[in-house]
């Protein structure tokens, strides 16, 4: 992996479903992994910053895990609600630079 | 807390004109601000990093004379697209970071849609 890859590109689930998506990133020189939620016409909202292998973070119904050795992070949403509809972005930075390298995002749509 | 505003949200201009976009941190001081660009179906791409009171650091391939960045205070950074052309049409978004740590959260503005005719 040379860049950040997110899958799937888009996802359509029904209210109440649980879902998850993946962020893959280069495992060499890893420093931190960031997750953002971006609703249409709004600012991206920071969800998590993760640094340690095996780290797991939770915010309400949303949680994320991190595997720095193999270079991936999962984002889970339990009991999806229509207000969870957004694009979920992940980004990583390396020890060498503070800049964030973003994936193209997973677009989630939750319907009633 | 940690709100970043961006103005204007949308701008249409004629080819050859210059456009200024403002990015403000409303409730915190931002040591560092970042400018990103996003083309359709692509990821956010960092254009430049600006630190208050010093020159911006541009990413490879970004023309510093075309994209002028000024970070005159701890709450305001501006991006001026000079002599804009249709290929500059894109979505421009800024972020501000209150701390100096690499893992410190960047807080984003809502973005500016630039259309150059």
């Amino acid at each position: 992996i040379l860049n950040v890859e997110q899958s799937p590109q888009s996802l359509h689930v029904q209210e109440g479903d649980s879902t998850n998506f993946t962020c893959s990133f280069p495992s060499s020189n890893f420093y931190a992994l960031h997750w953002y939620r971006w609703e249409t016409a709004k600012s991206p909202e920071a969800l998590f910053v993760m640094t340690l292998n095996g780290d797991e973070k939770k915010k309400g119904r949303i949680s994320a895990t991190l595997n720095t050795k193999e270079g991936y992070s999962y984002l889970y949403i339990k009991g999806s609600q229509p207000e969870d509809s957004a694009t979920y972005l992940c980004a990583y930075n390396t020890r060498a630079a503070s800049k964030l390298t973003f994936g193209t995002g997973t677009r989630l749509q939750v319907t009633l | 807390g940690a709100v970043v505003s961006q103005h204007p949200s949308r701008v249409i201009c004629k080819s050859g004109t210059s456009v200024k976009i403002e990015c403000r941190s409303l409730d915190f001081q931002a040591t560092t601000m970042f400018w990103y660009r996003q083309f359709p179906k692509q990821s956010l791409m960092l254009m430049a990093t600006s630190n208050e009171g010093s020159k911006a650091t541009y990413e490879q391939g970004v023309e510093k004379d075309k994209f002028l960045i000024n970070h005159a205070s701890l709450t305001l950074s501006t991006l001026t697209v000079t002599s804009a052309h249709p290929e500059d049409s894109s979505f421009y978004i800024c972020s501000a970071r209150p701390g100096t740590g690499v893992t410190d959260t960047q807080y984003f503005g809502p973005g500016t849609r630039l259309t150059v005719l």
Side-chain angles (χ1 to χ4, degrees):
Chain A
I1 295 285
L2 296 178
N3 290 307
V4 180
E5 297 177 4
Q6 291 188 248
S7 62
Q9 281 189 335
S10 63
L11 195 53
H12 192 156
V13 302
Q14 291 197 312
E15 183 181 17
D17 289 349
S18 293
T19 186
N20 65 85
F21 19 92
T22 307
C23 171
S24 300
F25 53 87
S27 55
S28 60
N29 299 317
F30 170 85
Y31 200 78
L33 191 284
H34 303 246
W35 280 101
Y36 286 85
R37 175 170 62 198
W38 195 1
E39 294 180 63
T40 303
K42 295 186 177 180
S43 302
E45 173 196 354
L47 290 174
F48 307 113
V49 180
M50 307 169 77
T51 58
L52 300 176
N53 185 45
D55 207 2
E56 185 169 341
K57 296 215 171 179
K58 191 174 180 182
K59 186 176 181 178
R61 293 179 291 101
I62 304 176
S63 61
T65 60
L66 179 67
N67 183 320
T68 62
K69 294 185 179 179
E70 295 181 45
Y72 64 84
S73 174
Y74 293 137
L75 188 80
Y76 300 91
I77 302 178
K78 187 177 177 182
S80 303
Q81 299 296 308
E83 57 264 32
D84 296 328
S85 297
T87 296
Y88 291 82
L89 299 175
C90 72
Y92 90 110
N93 49 2
T94 67
R95 293 184 186 277
S98 63
K99 73 176 221 178
L100 292 180
T101 300
F102 280 86
T104 52
T106 292
R107 186 171 180 174
L108 173 67
Q109 189 172 355
V110 183
T111 53
L112 296 170
Chain B
V3 178
V4 175
S5 70
Q6 201 171 325
H7 179 80
S9 58
R10 186 181 295 268
V11 58
I12 301 173
C13 69
K14 291 183 179 179
S15 185
T17 60
S18 295
V19 174
K20 181 186 281 190
I21 303 170
E22 289 188 350
C23 177
R24 292 181 186 272
S25 56
L26 298 185
D27 50 3
F28 65 96
Q29 293 186 325
T31 309
T32 307
M33 287 184 168
F34 304 85
W35 287 95
Y36 295 82
R37 180 169 54 182
Q38 185 183 38
F39 291 108
K41 299 194 176 182
Q42 294 188 21
S43 60
L44 295 176
M45 294 293 293
L46 181 67
M47 297 175 67
T49 302
S50 75
N51 292 296
E52 185 263 339
S54 62
K55 289 184 179 179
T57 303
Y58 290 82
E59 294 298 303
Q60 194 172 10
V62 178
E63 298 174 57
K64 62 180 180 181
D65 294 330
K66 181 167 184 62
F67 298 99
L68 300 179
I69 291 172
N70 185 285
H71 192 161
S73 77
L74 285 171
T75 59
L76 174 65
S77 176
T78 60
L79 168 69
T80 301
V81 183
T82 62
S83 186
H85 288 93
E87 58 266 28
D88 299 323
S89 298
S90 187
F91 183 77
Y92 294 85
I93 190 168
C94 69
S95 70
R97 191 176 67 192
T100 56
V102 170
T103 58
D104 287 355
T105 297
Q106 291 183 27
Y107 297 95
F108 282 82
T112 297
R113 173 75 59 191
L114 171 64
T115 303
V116 185
L117 302 176

